[in-house]
Amino acid sequence: YANSVFYPLVQEGMAYNVGEQAMVFDFFPRGILLAVRRLAVNRKNGRKADSLLIGLLAVNLFFFLFCVTGFPDFLARFTFMSNCPTTRVLVIFGYANILILIRSLAMREWGEEETLRRGTLRTAVTAAVAFALSVGLLACLCENGYVTVWMAGIEILALFCLAFAMLRGREKGFALLCGVLAVFTGLLVNPIQKGADFIYESPLVQAVAEVNEEKEGVWMTDCLSYPMNNVPLFVGASTINSTSYYPDLDRWHLLNPSGDQELYYNRFAHIRMELVETGISWFEQGEAGDRLTVFLDIRDIGKMGVDYVLSVNDLEIYNREGLQFTLLKQVEEYRIYQVEAG
């Protein structure tokens, strides 16, 4: 999670896109160690165990085991984790770590801050150095093609300062450092740092907007994967194969009346469509778990109610009686066609 600080600034060398890589800055495993210590102290003093903290630890362990070892197929289906990519679960795992840390800190007793402050400086420094080096070096190993020497140095220094403030009971200092970290990373996120003007200044997006403003219609994109399949959606044009949070089952059932391929399309998906001339339309799993490819036979395009197609291909080769593709605009390799299907 330490590398997330630099994601808004540096993308070169990243294995995946920023949204897939970013993690919660959760101070793991500091919160877990503090929670275990808190439960041990309560038990030693004969106090009742904190049920909220135990519940959070149980949830945390559940996600940890899923991410590290995985679940057998029957258990994954029983717990509804069978369709959850590990990278998405890590975000929830990080959030659980934050809740555990907050709960553990909130359970501090009166006078404990002074005890921490009177503790030996050497112990606090040693523990903070161990935490900073272990987390920082692990972050470097996980993304050795991304992290540079100066990035690793800044990460280790920041982790040391945060851990030292926590270990010495410097709550105001710890809160201040967390605030600086949150503001620094939040303000540098691309939509805030750069805005969205570059999207609407794109000649392709402007061409789509001009066509749709002249006469609104239903769009589809041909042979364009995420995020280019969403280009018409950028200007508010209805698009049948944009990223779909809720599937349009009525539409897909027109291509698959029996519903035997519903497993592919009855879910969240980045939808890529490809026009084919095979006499039949079908669905396939895309190259990633959240991708769906729809092979749409040209004879079925009328069923979809499509008025415009954004494509990189020459679609006029499909022209015949009852089906016409008319080229309206071309921006570099991208072509906008009007569809007339009888």
Side-chain angles (χ1 to χ4, degrees), residues 267-288:
R267 59 186 178 86
F268 168 90
H270 299 295
I271 305 173
R272 180 182 186 273
M273 296 191 80
E274 184 174 334
L275 287 172
V276 294
E277 194 173 8
T278 57
I280 187 173
S281 300
W282 74 96
F283 302 84
E284 283 187 6
Q285 173 68 50
E287 63 272 18

Side-chain angles (χ1 to χ4, degrees), residues 278-310:
T278 57
I280 187 173
S281 300
W282 74 96
F283 302 84
E284 283 187 6
Q285 173 68 50
E287 63 272 18
D290 58 356
R291 308 297 169 95
L292 166 67
T293 301
V294 182
F295 293 92
L296 182 67
D297 185 77
I298 58 170
R299 296 169 184 79
D300 290 332
I301 197 168
K303 294 180 182 179
M304 299 290 98
V306 173
D307 300 300
Y308 302 106
V309 178
L310 174 63

Side-chain angles (χ1 to χ4, degrees), residues 32-224:
I32 304 297
L33 297 175
L34 191 60
V36 172
R37 178 180 179 276
R38 179 63 51 206
L39 292 173
V41 169
N42 283 357
R43 183 174 181 179
K44 180 180 178 180
N45 295 334
R47 299 192 185 98
K48 183 180 178 181
D50 186 77
S51 57
L52 176 57
L53 190 56
I54 292 174
L56 288 171
L57 285 170
V59 170
N60 189 274
L61 178 62
F62 172 83
F63 289 125
F64 178 80
L65 291 175
F66 176 80
C67 293
V68 174
T69 66
F71 288 171
D73 185 63
F74 77 92
L75 183 58
R77 292 182 181 278
F78 180 75
T79 56
F80 302 104
M81 300 294 289
S82 56
N83 289 322
C84 296
T86 303
T87 52
R88 306 291 171 83
V89 176
L90 283 172
V91 176
I92 309 302
F93 176 73
Y95 181 64
N97 281 321
I98 289 290
L99 295 179
I100 289 171
L101 179 63
I102 293 172
R103 181 60 178 172
S104 300
L105 292 174
M107 291 174 64
R108 279 184 178 176
E109 298 177 357
W110 182 85
E112 194 169 336
E113 259 183 60
E114 291 301 320
T115 303
L116 287 171
R117 288 172 184 164
R118 288 197 301 268
T120 61
L121 181 63
R122 181 181 298 177
T123 301
V125 170
T126 302
V129 168
F131 171 76
L133 287 176
S134 59
V135 174
L137 293 178
L138 181 61
C140 295
L141 289 173
C142 290
E143 293 186 87
N144 56 9
Y146 172 75
V147 180
T148 62
V149 174
W150 68 269
M151 289 165 65
I154 292 174
E155 287 178 6
I156 291 172
L157 178 61
L159 289 165
F160 170 81
C161 293
L162 287 162
F164 183 77
M166 189 188 305
L167 289 165
R168 294 289 286 176
R170 308 292 182 179
E171 293 186 351
K172 291 183 179 178
F174 179 68
L176 177 62
L177 290 171
C178 288
V180 170
L181 179 67
V183 170
F184 177 79
T185 54
L187 289 180
L188 293 180
V189 172
N190 280 347
I192 298 176
Q193 179 191 161
K194 298 182 179 179
D197 287 346
F198 76 97
I199 294 176
Y200 299 104
E201 291 172 358
S202 161
L204 176 60
V205 173
Q206 291 176 350
V208 171
E210 289 172 5
V211 171
N212 200 63
E213 286 173 4
E214 184 175 334
K215 183 181 179 182
E216 287 190 7
V218 176
W219 290 68
M220 70 163 278
T221 59
D222 169 51
C223 294
L224 297 179

Side-chain angles (χ1 to χ4, degrees), residues 310-337:
L310 174 63
S311 178
V312 291
N313 299 320
D314 178 11
L315 300 185
E316 292 182 336
I317 61 173
Y318 294 127
N319 285 349
R320 64 196 61 195
E321 185 178 351
L323 179 63
Q324 291 291 316
F325 291 94
T326 304
L327 181 63
L328 299 180
K329 290 180 180 290
Q330 181 167 352
V331 179
E332 297 178 349
E333 72 270 29
Y334 298 100
R335 309 177 187 192
I336 299 175
Y337 292 93

